[in-house]
């Protein structure tokens, strides 16, 4: 590229939130990026029609931000802390990289694992894995290195839809769960703010659905943007969604009855017919150990996979002989025992959760609950079919979707289970029009969830849990968040399993641990890499967390600007940002949120303009680190395997491998990756290099819409969904309890109670009140619920320092203040725009009141995450933040290790300064 070229339009993408990649075009005039435009070449390819969301339009300001770190910087003040000026001073790339290399070589010389059994190298990456789309070949460097601890989260577990991730991978083989919006007719959205978090794809699809006549009922305490675009808003009491969903199940089963439900789906694709014994375990065949069903033709109990059996879905039956298998393989033989079908057990269990019962808890009228349940069942159209690519499939156009703080923290297991059971009852689970899984992170391969479906125990999909047996359980943690020790369902899939462990425990246990802690004391990592991650703003109890960060011995931050986390760094490295560097990533098939496409392929993020200052492409940085630490050969081998790319560099019919003895230039690396990817995707028909992608932007091949749904794959393999009865999870929980108690560890006992075959309602909001009392506070002093919600312009907050995003926010009501119901504010003497203090029992945050009627009177809402004190521009603008006053505590951590964005607070008007 040359500066004297008049005008160019460069195709690239934005992946600054999980709803990417959004395609776009950069207008470049005389070497300067001047505008962001849609990529109209993707109009019929991308479900967002080639249009990026508002965040992408800030990329020009991001590129030319005067506050950017433009050269490597080193810390000159050995003291670290919020009140300590780091004294950053410019250094050369050679000095910066050699400093890191010497540290890393010293770590390797002393052993990759420290005296506590923990990795000496740690890394933290931000929002939802999206940094991987910008860090070039750095994953190949980390793979070449060896063990890395990803325990220190920037919001994982507390900001993500954490329980949906884990249970989504369990039931859907997918990281996120979406409505099949192109085909659905009725959606119950419990806190799912998809018109904000789903990007242009969701906005367009839901707009088209409204034109088509679908109905969305938004159930959440405040009138979010998504609620405002819905047919109905139901202002539920915070954290009572399980009660609401349980009551919907009650109405379907007990008021409409089994005859109105999808009985063939229940019988053939779920465990509804499996017989449960009096001890709550499946009754099994004594010889084979297989679960029993009651065969209505033989009028006898038989193994579930017996040919030509017709299992009874409901009822109780006398079983002549059976065995049950409990935790640690404990077997009990039974004779003449009563067996209850799993569906019947569900029916009995849910009977007490009536609409009247739920109304008293969640503040939603019983008649509203009944009406919504009836509308859902009617819209399900049980018996209807649809033709998809030559296949006749069930059409069940109803969905229940969940949002942040509904599907993480206490109550999230109940919500994820109930949502999936509601789909199961009407056959809308992974069928057209219903709910379907998108993207894959814990199962493999990540690009095709169908390939992870293999026969496992008891007629279900194989699962890859962390072991809980006495022989294989990890009694001495190998990561600082104890994910293999405490959370079986998170599995053993490397970095993603770590990142989805209890990341708040990694932070909490650096400072203090439970009294009955029998394990080695957690250590700090010797070296900590941080990229696109600012936990000192994006986690909880952020002031205290910043103090913890200051105690890390050596931090390397890949920095765009100074921020609240890298303020404590020892080195700042300026990487070339979005419009200044190159990377090829996968697109299409299924990605996060509503990104299920009619094609799959690859898309290039390419250098549109020269990097500012001395910023360097991340691939160059990774390669230099590998060379200087003596890992070049191992690094190149990882590249050849396909790590950091989208395909191995050698396969059947092609070989574009790199020479491990040579230092590859970034362009050489990405050219090889482009060629391998296109050859693999096209089955050898096409081979396109980097220059081709610079012109065309992306490469695609079609996929069948039938691949959107998992149920056909289960049908082909004769498998069932592990629903409604969670016998396996219950047994695993009992085994985990045995292991912990053998170590005299009881501080996780409350979490162990969540391992239930059929979840019960427990007073979820009351947990926050009890935690308040345990901290020495009085509930009457903190009478309001404080929630947070996302905005499309900020989303995860990584672009808070871009002025354009602030300007957009100022035009959206409530987005820059503390949202309060107008009647509540009047009672407290608070006017619109008044300065207010929002205080929890650990501290206070400050902002301006935004008075609305679209929020419950007992609830306050803050959009986004702010309270910055180091990030340029935004640090000079007072914005409140829930994160500053949300406590990290074991009492508010659920069995998966997640917490919810909700705090008990007080609010008061602050006096205006004298004129």
């Amino acid at each position: 590229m040359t500066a004297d070229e008049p005008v160019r339009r460069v195709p690239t993408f934005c992946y600054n939130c999980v709803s990417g990649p959004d395609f776009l075009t950069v207008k470049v005039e005389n070497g300067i990026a001047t505008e962001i435009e849609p990529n109209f070449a993707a109009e019929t390819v991308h479900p967002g029609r080639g249009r990026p969301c508002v965040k992408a339009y800030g990329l020009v300001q991001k590129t030319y931000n005067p506050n950017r770190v433009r050269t490597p910087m080193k810390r000159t003040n050995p003291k670290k802390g919020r009140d300590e000026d780091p004294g950053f001073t410019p250094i050369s790339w050679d000095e910066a990289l050699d400093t890191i290399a010497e540290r890393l070589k010293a770590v390797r010389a002393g052993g990759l694992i420290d005296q506590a059994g923990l990795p000496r190298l740690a890394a933290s990456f931000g929002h939802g894995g999206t940094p991987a789309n910008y860090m070039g070949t750095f994953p190949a460097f980390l793979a070449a290195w060896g063990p890395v601890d990803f325990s220190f989260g920037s919001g994982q577990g507390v900001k993500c839809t954490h329980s949906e991730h884990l249970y989504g991978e369990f039931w859907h083989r997918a990281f996120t769960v979406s409505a099949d919006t192109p085909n659905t007719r009725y959606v119950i959205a419990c806190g799912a703010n998809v018109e904000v978090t789903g990007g242009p794809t969701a906005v367009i699809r839901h707009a088209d659905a409204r034109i088509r006549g679908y109905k969305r009922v938004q159930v959440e305490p405040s009138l979010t943007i998504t609620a405002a675009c819905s047919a109905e808003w139901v202002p539920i009491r915070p954290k009572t969604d399980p009660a609401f969903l349980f009551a919907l199940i009650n109405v379907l089963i007990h008021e409409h009855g089994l005859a109105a439900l999808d009985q063939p789906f229940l019988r053939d694709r779920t465990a509804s017919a499996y017989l449960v014994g009096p001890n709550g375990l499946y009754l099994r065949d004594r010889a084979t150990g297989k679960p029993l069903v009651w065969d209505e033709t033989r009028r006898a109990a038989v193994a579930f996979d017996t040919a030509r059996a017709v299992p009874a879905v409901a009822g109780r039956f006398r079983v002549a002989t059976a065995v049950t298998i409990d935790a640690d393989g404990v077997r009990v033989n039974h004779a003449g025992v009563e067996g209850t079908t799993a569906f019947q057990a569900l029916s009995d269990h849910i009977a007490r959760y009536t609409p009247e019962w739920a109304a008293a808890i969640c503040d939603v009228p019983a008649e509203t609950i009944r009406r919504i349940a009836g509308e859902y069942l009617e819209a399900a159209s049980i018996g209807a079919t649809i033709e998809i690519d030559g296949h006749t499939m069930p059409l069940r156009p109803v969905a229940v979707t969940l949002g942040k703080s509904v599907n993480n923290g206490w109550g999230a297991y109940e919500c994820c289970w109930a949502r999936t059971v509601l789909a199961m009852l009407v056959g809308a689970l992974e069928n057209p029009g219903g709910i379907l899984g998108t993207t894959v992170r814990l199962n493999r391969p990540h690009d095709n969830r169908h390939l992870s479906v293999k026969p496992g125990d008891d007629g279900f999909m194989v699962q890859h849990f962390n072991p809980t047996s006495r022989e294989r359980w990890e009694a001495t943690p190998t990561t600082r968040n104890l994910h293999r020790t405490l959370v079986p369902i998170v599995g053993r899939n490397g970095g993603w399993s770590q990142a989805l462990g209890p990341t708040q425990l990694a932070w909490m246990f650096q400072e203090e641990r439970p009294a009955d802690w029998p394990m080695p004391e957690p250590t700090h990592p010797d070296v900590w890499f941080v990229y696109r991650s600012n936990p000192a703003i994006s986690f909880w109890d952020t002031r205290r967390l910043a103090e913890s960060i200051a105690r890390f011995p050596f931090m390397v931050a890949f920095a765009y600007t100074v921020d609240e986390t890298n303020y404590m760094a020892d080195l700042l490295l300026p990487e070339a940002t979005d419009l200044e560097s190159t990377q090829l990533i996968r697109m299409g098939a299924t990605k996060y949120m509503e990104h299920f496409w009619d094609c799959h392929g690859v898309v290039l993020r390419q250098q549109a303009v020269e990097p500012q200052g001395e910023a360097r492409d991340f691939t160059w940085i990774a390669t230099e680190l590998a060379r200087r630490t003596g890992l070049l050969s191992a690094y190149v081998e990882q590249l050849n395997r396909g790590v950091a790319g989208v395909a191995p560099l050698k396969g059947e019919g092609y070989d574009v491998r790199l020479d491990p003895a040579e230092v590859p230039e970034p362009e050489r690396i990405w050219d090889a990756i482009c060629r391998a990817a296109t050859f693999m995707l096209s089955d050898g028909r096409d081979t396109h290099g980097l220059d081709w992608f610079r012109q065309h932007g992306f490469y695609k091949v079609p996929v069948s819409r039938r691949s959107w749904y998992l149920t056909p794959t289960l049908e082909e393999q004769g498998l069932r969904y592990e629903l409604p009865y969670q016998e396996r999870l219950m047994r695993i929980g009992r085994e985990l309890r045995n292991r912990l108690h053998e170590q005299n560890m009881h501080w996780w006992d409350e979490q162990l109670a969540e391992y239930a075959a059929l979840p019960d309602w427990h007073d979820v909001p009351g947990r926050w009140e009890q935690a308040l009392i345990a901290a020495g506070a009085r509930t009457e002093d903190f009478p309001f619920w404080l929630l947070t919600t996302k905005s499309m312009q900020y989303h995860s907050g990584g672009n808070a320092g871009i002025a354009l995003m602030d300007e957009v926010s100022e035009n959206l009501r409530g987005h820059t203040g503390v949202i309060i119901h107008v009647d509540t504010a009047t009672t407290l003497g608070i006017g619109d725009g008044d300065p207010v203090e929002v205080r929890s029992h650990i501290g206070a945050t400050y902002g301006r009141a935004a008075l609305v009627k679209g929020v419950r009177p007992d609830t306050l809402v803050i959009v986004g995450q702010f309270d910055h004190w180091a990030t340029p521009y935004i640090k000079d603008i007072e914005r409140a933040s829930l994160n500053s006053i949300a406590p990290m505590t074991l009492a508010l951590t659920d069995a998966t290790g997640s917490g919810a964005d909700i705090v008990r607070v007080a609010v008061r008007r602050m006096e205006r300064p004298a004129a």
Side-chain angles (χ1 to χ4, degrees):
M1 67 183 70
T2 59
D4 58 358
E5 290 178 310
V7 177
R8 294 184 302 121
R9 283 180 167 80
V10 181
T12 186
F13 66 77
C14 174
Y15 217 139
N16 278 283
C17 74
V18 294
S19 290
D22 282 352
F23 291 4
L24 58 93
T25 301
V26 186
K27 183 178 179 182
V28 180
E29 301 182 76
N30 297 316
I32 305 296
T34 58
E35 295 180 33
I36 300 297
E37 303 172 339
N39 183 344
F40 293 111
E43 168 75 26
T44 60
V45 174
H46 192 292
R49 300 176 188 168
R51 293 156 172 79
C53 90
V54 63
K55 285 186 290 297
Y57 291 93
L59 293 178
V60 172
Q61 281 193 0
K62 180 176 182 179
T63 303
Y64 302 113
N65 187 341
N67 299 305
R68 278 185 68 172
V69 175
R70 287 181 166 79
T71 184
M73 310 277 279
K74 72 175 181 182
R75 183 182 202 90
T76 59
N77 182 1
K79 296 180 180 179
K80 296 182 179 182
R82 177 170 176 169
D83 299 324
E84 294 287 345
D85 185 340
F88 288 128
T89 187
I91 57 174
S92 68
W93 272 104
D94 279 335
E95 181 180 351
L97 293 171
D98 284 344
T99 300
I100 300 169
E102 289 306 312
R103 285 271 182 168
L104 292 176
K105 286 190 285 188
V107 168
R108 293 191 79 82
L112 300 180
I113 302 298
D114 68 16
Q115 70 277 11
L118 300 170
R120 294 183 186 273
L121 178 64
S124 294
F125 307 126
H127 174 58
T130 55
N133 302 293
Y134 293 91
M135 65 173 67
T137 58
F138 193 59
F141 170 78
L142 295 177
W145 171 268
V148 179
D149 197 342
F150 297 98
S151 290
F152 295 103
S154 58
Q156 298 96 317
V158 299
K159 294 293 176 183
C160 65
T161 59
H162 186 267
S163 294
E164 179 167 298
H165 297 332
L166 272 57
Y167 292 109
E169 296 271 355
F170 180 60
W171 288 313
H172 295 265
R173 277 305 201 263
F175 195 65
T176 53
V177 179
S178 171
D180 180 17
T181 309
N183 294 304
T184 198
R185 297 174 190 159
Y186 192 89
V187 175
I188 303 169
C190 294
N193 195 6
V194 71
E195 303 274 358
V196 164
T197 59
T201 294
V203 170
I204 289 169
R205 280 181 166 169
H206 283 269
D208 289 346
R210 284 191 289 273
I211 293 171
R212 198 177 64 239
Y214 100 137
K215 179 177 181 178
R216 182 174 62 208
V217 178
Q218 193 74 12
V219 183
E220 60 182 330
S222 66
L223 187 69
T224 59
I225 288 173
T226 303
C229 295
S230 299
E232 182 177 356
W233 171 47
V234 178
I236 193 170
R237 185 185 178 213
K239 289 303 281 185
T240 62
D241 305 82
F244 173 77
L245 295 172
F246 283 10
L248 294 180
I249 296 172
N250 175 284
V251 173
L252 293 185
I253 293 176
H254 287 281
E255 298 188 16
H256 292 274
L258 177 59
L261 306 179
D262 193 333
Q263 294 184 69
F265 187 85
L266 292 170
R267 181 190 64 223
D268 301 330
R269 291 279 72 79
T270 77
S272 293
Y274 286 17
L275 295 175
V276 179
N279 58 2
L281 298 166
Y282 285 147
L283 294 176
R284 300 171 181 271
D285 179 81
R286 286 188 181 180
T288 65
K290 294 179 179 181
L292 297 174
V293 298
W294 185 262
D295 180 10
E296 294 186 311
T297 58
R298 296 176 177 87
R299 301 189 65 77
V302 299
F304 73 89
D305 57 355
T306 300
R308 295 182 297 280
V310 180
V313 173
R316 296 176 176 83
F317 306 95
R318 184 64 53 181
V319 177
T321 63
V323 65
T324 55
I325 304 175
D326 206 342
D328 293 320
V330 174
R331 299 170 67 94
V332 177
N333 289 322
H334 300 270
V337 66
E338 183 178 81
T340 303
T341 70
F343 178 86
Q344 186 66 56
L346 167 67
S347 177
D348 296 345
H349 177 80
I350 213 74
R352 61 186 179 277
Y353 298 130
T354 64
E356 285 72 21
W357 165 86
I361 292 171
C362 59
D363 199 22
V364 177
E367 57 269 26
T368 300
I369 296 172
R370 278 195 175 86
R371 173 178 55 78
I372 291 171
E375 291 173 352
Y376 175 86
L377 180 59
E378 181 180 8
S381 307
I382 294 172
T385 59
I386 185 173
E387 286 286 321
I388 295 183
D389 295 333
H391 296 268
T392 300
M393 298 183 66
L395 175 64
R396 301 291 183 270
V398 292
V400 178
T401 58
L402 309 177
K404 185 170 72 73
S405 291
V406 174
N407 53 16
N408 58 320
W410 287 115
Y413 167 50
E414 292 85 344
C415 286
C416 291
W417 172 84
R419 179 266 300 278
T420 317
V421 166
L422 282 163
M424 176 200 80
L425 292 173
V426 298
L429 180 56
E430 293 285 348
N431 273 322
I435 57 172
L436 54 89
T438 58
T439 210
V440 187
R441 286 296 174 261
L442 295 181
N443 287 289
R444 291 180 178 175
H446 287 176
D447 62 317
N448 188 335
R449 66 193 179 119
H450 297 271
L451 296 180
S452 75
V453 177
K454 293 179 172 56
D457 295 339
D458 299 340
F460 305 130
M461 293 181 282
V462 66
Q463 302 290 348
H464 303 284
F465 296 113
N466 287 319
T468 51
S469 68
R470 184 173 288 107
E471 298 77 19
R472 299 179 59 210
W473 178 66
E474 190 169 277
T476 300
T478 54
T479 61
R480 292 168 176 84
N481 68 14
L482 291 77
H483 77 287
R484 291 179 180 172
T485 302
L486 295 179
V487 188
I489 196 173
V490 80
R492 301 175 69 89
N493 187 13
W496 275 103
S497 291
Q498 286 193 44
L500 289 168
T503 59
Q504 66 267 45
L505 299 190
W507 292 114
M508 290 163 55
F509 292 164
Q510 287 292 317
E511 306 303 316
E512 55 185 328
R513 288 156 296 284
D516 52 345
W517 177 275
M519 299 170 286
E521 189 170 305
T523 55
H524 286 107
D526 292 35
V527 177
W528 184 32
F529 285 122
V530 180
Y531 177 55
R532 291 197 174 207
S533 179
N534 189 6
I537 287 296
S538 62
F539 219 86
W540 289 341
D541 199 356
T542 49
R543 297 181 182 101
R544 187 180 176 201
L545 191 139
E547 295 172 0
S548 180
I549 290 172
R551 288 188 275 276
F552 279 57
F554 190 79
M555 184 204 307
V556 178
F558 302 96
Y560 162 60
T561 68
V562 172
D563 63 32
E564 290 67 24
T565 296
N566 68 36
Y567 196 79
M568 316 296 179
D570 297 272
L571 287 173
L572 303 180
L573 301 184
E575 51 95 19
T577 61
D578 310 56
L579 308 185
E580 302 168 333
S581 56
T582 301
Q583 185 165 352
L584 190 78
I585 67 166
R586 290 186 181 275
M587 70 174 201
T590 62
K591 288 282 190 179
Y592 293 88
M593 311 294 287
E594 300 219 359
H595 275 265
F596 35 99
W597 298 25
D598 290 318
C599 65
H600 72 121
V602 287
V603 59
L604 182 72
R605 182 175 55 80
Q606 63 174 304
Q607 181 181 337
V609 296
E610 292 294 329
Q612 295 290 292
E614 296 181 39
R616 297 294 182 92
D617 188 296
F618 216 132
T619 295
W620 179 87
I621 298 172
T623 305
E624 280 298 301
L625 283 174
R627 181 177 72 84
R628 295 175 193 234
T629 53
L631 293 172
L632 180 63
S633 177
Y635 165 73
V636 174
E637 289 295 348
Q638 294 297 332
L639 292 175
N640 287 337
R641 288 182 56 230
V643 176
V646 294
L649 299 188
K650 180 183 178 181
E652 186 176 349
Y654 72 96
D655 187 350
V656 290
R657 285 176 296 174
L658 305 167
D659 186 345
E662 296 182 1
V663 180
E665 292 295 325
E667 288 212 356
R668 172 76 181 88
I669 294 171
W670 291 110
D671 183 72
I673 292 172
C674 289
R675 293 179 185 279
T678 49
F679 189 98
M680 183 189 68
L681 285 165
S682 67
D683 294 325
R685 293 186 302 275
D686 294 319
T687 304
H688 298 305
L690 183 58
D691 287 341
W692 184 92
F693 274 93
R694 283 172 171 156
Q695 178 182 352
H696 295 89
F698 59 88
Y699 180 86
K700 67 176 178 68
V701 294
V703 297
S704 169
R705 285 200 172 189
R706 192 166 181 262
S707 70
W708 290 3
Y709 313 105
L710 199 65
T711 293
T713 300
L714 269 70
E715 289 175 348
E716 290 165 7
Q717 299 191 36
L719 299 177
R720 301 167 182 267
Y721 292 105
E722 205 156 340
L723 289 160
Y725 201 77
Q726 303 307 307
E727 195 241 24
R728 173 159 41 178
L729 289 181
M730 180 176 67
R731 283 189 286 112
I732 286 172
R734 290 175 179 178
E735 276 196 0
L736 179 59
R737 178 195 60 199
N738 292 346
R739 302 292 83 79
L740 292 170
H741 288 183
E742 287 164 0
Q743 300 292 320
N744 295 315
M745 292 168 58
H746 293 270
W747 51 267
W748 198 246
D749 282 2
E750 190 69 19
Q751 285 74 16
L752 292 172
E754 197 166 76
Y755 289 90
L758 293 169
D760 278 303
W761 164 259
H762 55 91
D763 185 5
V764 181
R767 288 187 180 271
W768 274 260
E769 295 167 349
Q770 290 304 311
L772 199 63
I773 294 169
R778 302 189 311 165
T779 56
E780 57 266 32
D781 292 337
F782 301 94
F784 298 103
W785 296 103
L786 174 63
L787 308 178
T788 185
T789 189
K790 291 181 177 178
S791 68
M792 185 176 282
Q793 61 275 20
Y794 287 120
H795 202 58
S796 62
N799 56 356
I802 297 175
L804 179 61
M805 298 300 101
D806 177 49
E807 182 179 340
V808 173
S809 297
E810 293 285 357
N811 289 288
L812 296 171
R813 184 171 182 83
H815 272 52
T816 60
V818 178
I819 297 172
I820 309 173
H821 192 282
V822 62
D823 293 343
T824 300
T826 299
T827 300
L828 297 173
I830 297 171
D832 194 43
D834 280 353
V836 294
E837 174 192 79
V838 181
R839 178 172 292 278
S840 76
H841 69 282
I842 68 165
T845 187
Y846 301 89
R848 294 195 174 272
L851 306 191
V852 302
K853 290 188 176 180
V855 67
R856 286 178 57 90
D858 60 356
T859 301
L860 313 178
V861 179
I862 296 174
V863 179
Q865 43 196 16
F866 298 99
D867 222 351
H868 296 77
W869 47 267
T871 302
Y873 181 77
I874 197 65
K875 70 182 176 65
D876 299 318
I877 300 175
E878 187 173 66
R879 294 277 176 80
S881 180
L882 173 145
N883 297 352
S884 301
I885 60 174
M888 277 194 282
T889 169
L890 198 60
L892 297 179
T893 303
D894 73 0
T896 68
S898 76
D901 267 339
I902 180 168
V903 191
R904 294 287 292 190
V905 298
V907 61
R908 67 186 181 98
R909 178 179 178 273
M910 302 295 290
E911 293 301 321
R912 294 183 180 274

